[in-house]
mmCIF file of all heavy atoms in Angstrom:
data_model
loop_
_atom_site.group_PDB
_atom_site.id
_atom_site.type_symbol
_atom_site.label_atom_id
_atom_site.label_comp_id
_atom_site.label_asym_id
_atom_site.label_seq_id
_atom_site.Cartn_x
_atom_site.Cartn_y
_atom_site.Cartn_z
ATOM 1 N N LEU A 382 13.644 21.741 78.240
ATOM 2 C CA LEU A 382 13.405 22.752 77.216
ATOM 3 C C LEU A 382 12.076 23.454 77.432
ATOM 4 O O LEU A 382 11.942 24.652 77.178
ATOM 5 C CB LEU A 382 13.446 22.112 75.831
ATOM 6 C CG LEU A 382 14.809 21.594 75.378
ATOM 7 C CD1 LEU A 382 14.699 20.999 73.975
ATOM 8 C CD2 LEU A 382 15.843 22.715 75.381
ATOM 9 N N ARG A 383 11.086 22.706 77.909
ATOM 10 C CA ARG A 383 9.771 23.311 78.166
ATOM 11 C C ARG A 383 9.882 24.362 79.262
ATOM 12 O O ARG A 383 9.273 25.425 79.196
ATOM 13 C CB ARG A 383 8.770 22.230 78.554
ATOM 14 C CG ARG A 383 8.406 21.308 77.394
ATOM 15 C CD ARG A 383 7.644 20.094 77.843
ATOM 16 N NE ARG A 383 6.396 20.445 78.513
ATOM 17 C CZ ARG A 383 5.618 19.549 79.132
ATOM 18 N NH1 ARG A 383 5.965 18.271 79.173
ATOM 19 N NH2 ARG A 383 4.506 19.932 79.698
ATOM 20 N N LYS A 384 10.701 24.062 80.292
ATOM 21 C CA LYS A 384 10.880 25.029 81.375
ATOM 22 C C LYS A 384 11.616 26.275 80.899
ATOM 23 O O LYS A 384 11.452 27.359 81.451
ATOM 24 C CB LYS A 384 11.649 24.377 82.521
ATOM 25 C CG LYS A 384 10.830 23.339 83.286
ATOM 26 C CD LYS A 384 11.641 22.735 84.425
ATOM 27 C CE LYS A 384 10.783 21.737 85.206
ATOM 28 N NZ LYS A 384 11.554 21.099 86.309
ATOM 29 N N ALA A 385 12.443 26.088 79.852
ATOM 30 C CA ALA A 385 13.207 27.223 79.330
ATOM 31 C C ALA A 385 12.346 28.170 78.512
ATOM 32 O O ALA A 385 12.702 29.321 78.308
ATOM 33 C CB ALA A 385 14.364 26.721 78.473
ATOM 34 N N LEU A 386 11.171 27.686 78.047
ATOM 35 C CA LEU A 386 10.279 28.539 77.262
ATOM 36 C C LEU A 386 9.613 29.570 78.160
ATOM 37 O O LEU A 386 9.272 29.284 79.308
ATOM 38 C CB LEU A 386 9.195 27.685 76.588
ATOM 39 C CG LEU A 386 9.674 26.726 75.501
ATOM 40 C CD1 LEU A 386 8.520 25.829 75.070
ATOM 41 C CD2 LEU A 386 10.239 27.483 74.318
ATOM 42 N N PRO A 387 9.393 30.792 77.680
ATOM 43 C CA PRO A 387 8.742 31.816 78.508
ATOM 44 C C PRO A 387 7.298 31.442 78.808
ATOM 45 O O PRO A 387 6.629 30.777 78.016
ATOM 46 C CB PRO A 387 8.820 33.072 77.625
ATOM 47 C CG PRO A 387 8.946 32.555 76.227
ATOM 48 C CD PRO A 387 9.724 31.286 76.346
ATOM 49 N N ASP A 388 6.834 31.846 79.968
ATOM 50 C CA ASP A 388 5.446 31.620 80.346
ATOM 51 C C ASP A 388 4.521 32.346 79.369
ATOM 52 O O ASP A 388 4.799 33.468 78.954
ATOM 53 C CB ASP A 388 5.210 32.137 81.780
ATOM 54 C CG ASP A 388 3.770 31.949 82.211
ATOM 55 O OD1 ASP A 388 3.409 30.817 82.585
ATOM 56 O OD2 ASP A 388 3.023 32.947 82.157
ATOM 57 N N VAL A 389 3.405 31.706 79.013
ATOM 58 C CA VAL A 389 2.494 32.266 78.018
ATOM 59 C C VAL A 389 1.965 33.622 78.454
ATOM 60 O O VAL A 389 1.931 34.589 77.684
ATOM 61 C CB VAL A 389 1.324 31.292 77.744
ATOM 62 C CG1 VAL A 389 0.313 31.947 76.808
ATOM 63 C CG2 VAL A 389 1.843 29.996 77.142
ATOM 64 N N ASP A 390 1.552 33.739 79.722
ATOM 65 C CA ASP A 390 1.007 35.004 80.216
ATOM 66 C C ASP A 390 2.061 36.104 80.222
ATOM 67 O O ASP A 390 1.789 37.251 79.856
ATOM 68 C CB ASP A 390 0.444 34.815 81.622
ATOM 69 C CG ASP A 390 -0.790 33.922 81.623
ATOM 70 O OD1 ASP A 390 -1.493 33.914 80.584
ATOM 71 O OD2 ASP A 390 -1.047 33.237 82.614
ATOM 72 N N GLU A 391 3.317 35.717 80.595
ATOM 73 C CA GLU A 391 4.396 36.696 80.583
ATOM 74 C C GLU A 391 4.688 37.157 79.159
ATOM 75 O O GLU A 391 4.975 38.323 78.907
ATOM 76 C CB GLU A 391 5.659 36.085 81.213
ATOM 77 C CG GLU A 391 5.550 35.864 82.718
ATOM 78 C CD GLU A 391 5.390 37.178 83.463
ATOM 79 O OE1 GLU A 391 6.031 38.172 83.074
ATOM 80 O OE2 GLU A 391 4.612 37.225 84.433
ATOM 81 N N LEU A 392 4.646 36.205 78.235
ATOM 82 C CA LEU A 392 4.906 36.536 76.845
ATOM 83 C C LEU A 392 3.847 37.498 76.314
ATOM 84 O O LEU A 392 4.152 38.443 75.583
ATOM 85 C CB LEU A 392 4.932 35.257 76.014
ATOM 86 C CG LEU A 392 5.395 35.380 74.554
ATOM 87 C CD1 LEU A 392 6.799 35.948 74.482
ATOM 88 C CD2 LEU A 392 5.347 34.040 73.852
ATOM 89 N N LYS A 393 2.585 37.259 76.707
ATOM 90 C CA LYS A 393 1.502 38.153 76.279
ATOM 91 C C LYS A 393 1.723 39.571 76.801
ATOM 92 O O LYS A 393 1.473 40.562 76.108
ATOM 93 C CB LYS A 393 0.161 37.609 76.758
ATOM 94 C CG LYS A 393 -0.309 36.371 75.988
ATOM 95 C CD LYS A 393 -1.647 35.873 76.534
ATOM 96 C CE LYS A 393 -2.119 34.643 75.759
ATOM 97 N NZ LYS A 393 -3.395 34.105 76.309
ATOM 98 N N LYS A 394 2.228 39.668 78.037
ATOM 99 C CA LYS A 394 2.473 40.991 78.622
ATOM 100 C C LYS A 394 3.573 41.714 77.851
ATOM 101 O O LYS A 394 3.490 42.918 77.587
ATOM 102 C CB LYS A 394 2.882 40.848 80.101
ATOM 103 C CG LYS A 394 1.752 40.415 81.006
ATOM 104 C CD LYS A 394 2.248 40.244 82.437
ATOM 105 C CE LYS A 394 1.134 39.728 83.344
ATOM 106 N NZ LYS A 394 1.614 39.522 84.741
#
Side-chain angles (χ1 to χ4, degrees):
L382 292 181
R383 290 169 60 188
K384 289 181 178 179
L386 293 172
D388 179 79
V389 175
D390 292 331
E391 290 296 322
L392 189 59
K393 287 179 180 178
K394 289 178 183 179

